[in-house]
Amino acid sequence: MENDRRSEDEIRSEREERQEDDILCEAVPGAILLTGNAGGGKLFMRAEETGRDWTVIVTGGAAPHIGCAVLAVPRESLREDGKRSSTASVLNVTGHKDEEICRYAAERLAAATGRIVVCTGGVHIEGITKDQIDGIRDMAAEMTERLVRAAVMK
């Protein structure tokens, strides 16, 4: 019997061959993989089920790295409206600005699924402009919403 699992490199290579303006969302056993193109670079988001919880890794640009780690815990909304929200704790590497993307992903996924979420990652594009930053931020938000929809369907 042939192994149905593909390596992450094979998946990334296939993603890069697809149309660059789309977000590719692919479910593989135990994980959801997303790829987007914005701000002059590729953005990758990988969410893996970790027992009952989720681990999310966001990378992109020429030098992926760990710029922050966010832990989001689901809770009842403070508005007491019966909705679920989340609370996040953040660790930042000095000088890194990756928190906004990772915090949004962790909080949204925790609130939507009722599971604990850890999100870590870093995107580095040399000489990045304000418009490129805005494009990456927007793409990461769109990818997060796609991730939430896919995770809730699991």
Side-chain angles (χ1 to χ4, degrees):
M1 182 186 238
E2 225 176 1
N3 188 349
D4 291 347
R5 298 194 75 186
R6 296 179 293 156
S7 74
E8 194 165 345
D9 288 339
E10 289 172 310
I11 293 168
R12 280 189 184 201
S13 176
E14 179 182 324
R15 287 183 202 142
E16 290 172 1
E17 294 172 9
R18 295 186 188 252
Q19 186 176 359
E20 292 185 358
D21 294 332
D22 292 339
I23 295 173
L24 174 64
C25 181
E26 183 175 4
V28 297
I32 301 168
L33 310 172
L34 297 103
T35 303
N37 193 25
K42 295 269 187 198
L43 191 60
F44 300 97
M45 189 175 286
R46 178 183 182 101
E48 293 190 20
E49 291 181 285
T50 309
R52 182 175 142 54
D53 304 313
W54 288 95
T55 301
V56 180
I57 301 170
V58 180
T59 59
H65 59 279
I66 295 176
C68 71
V70 179
L71 172 69
V73 179
R75 60 164 171 77
E76 185 178 326
S77 173
L78 297 176
R79 294 182 187 151
E80 298 179 2
D81 56 6
K83 294 183 180 178
R84 187 168 43 218
S85 186
S86 64
T87 296
S89 298
V90 179
L91 293 172
N92 277 316
V93 174
T94 304
H96 289 255
K97 305 294 183 190
D98 307 293
E99 173 191 348
E100 186 176 350
I101 291 171
C102 290
R103 184 179 192 137
Y104 182 75
E107 288 181 336
R108 282 286 297 126
L109 189 57
T113 63
R115 298 177 180 192
I116 295 169
V117 177
V118 169
C119 182
T120 186
V123 178
H124 181 81
I125 297 173
E126 195 65 41
I128 194 166
T129 67
K130 169 97 169 79
D131 287 342
Q132 288 174 312
I133 292 169
D134 291 344
I136 288 171
R137 183 183 303 117
D138 292 346
M139 178 58 70
E142 289 177 39
M143 291 170 71
T144 296
E145 296 309 317
R146 290 279 300 273
L147 170 60
V148 165
R149 287 195 302 272
V152 169
M153 291 175 35
K154 281 188 140 269

